[in-house]
Amino acid sequence: MPVRTKKGSTGPSLERRSKFGTVTPRYDASGDLVAWQVRYPDPKRPGKKVQRQFKPDMEHEAHQWLEEERHLVELDRKNIQE
């Protein structure tokens, strides 16, 4: 999958929001993609968010990390694993 390098350029990657969290592109002042920010609500601290940033060429890893975190939160909710 090609990496978007300029804000507003065409490509498959836009902010993707799910019921669990978001993967958002972050740009510098010149419009170049500098990171992918991943966030979701912290289930242990209401009102707070868990977040992590990934390098511009790591969009797939950002989505994968969010999905893995969602799975861990579900295991915690079911008292299977903390």
Side-chain angles (χ1 to χ4, degrees):
M1 182 181 309
V3 175
R4 284 191 322 170
T5 56
K6 290 282 187 181
K7 187 175 188 175
S9 66
T10 59
S13 304
L14 298 173
E15 178 176 338
R16 295 182 186 171
R17 183 177 301 250
S18 70
K19 290 181 180 180
F20 182 71
T22 60
V23 176
T24 308
R26 294 292 176 210
Y27 301 95
D28 63 13
S30 65
D32 292 326
L33 179 66
V34 293
W36 291 98
Q37 182 181 45
V38 185
R39 299 171 75 180
Y40 66 91
D42 189 333
K44 301 280 187 180
R45 300 179 306 160
K48 301 289 183 182
K49 296 204 182 286
V50 175
Q51 69 178 14
R52 183 172 173 193
Q53 287 198 20
F54 292 83
K55 293 180 181 180
D57 61 342
M58 297 180 69
E59 180 185 8
H60 176 75
E61 290 84 351
H63 289 280
Q64 188 174 17
W65 180 80
L66 181 61
E67 185 60 27
E68 290 168 0
E69 290 293 298
R70 184 197 62 76
H71 179 70
L72 291 174
V73 167
E74 285 300 314
L75 290 176
D76 183 62
R77 283 187 186 144
K78 295 176 182 177
N79 294 319
I80 296 172
Q81 178 180 338
E82 188 172 321

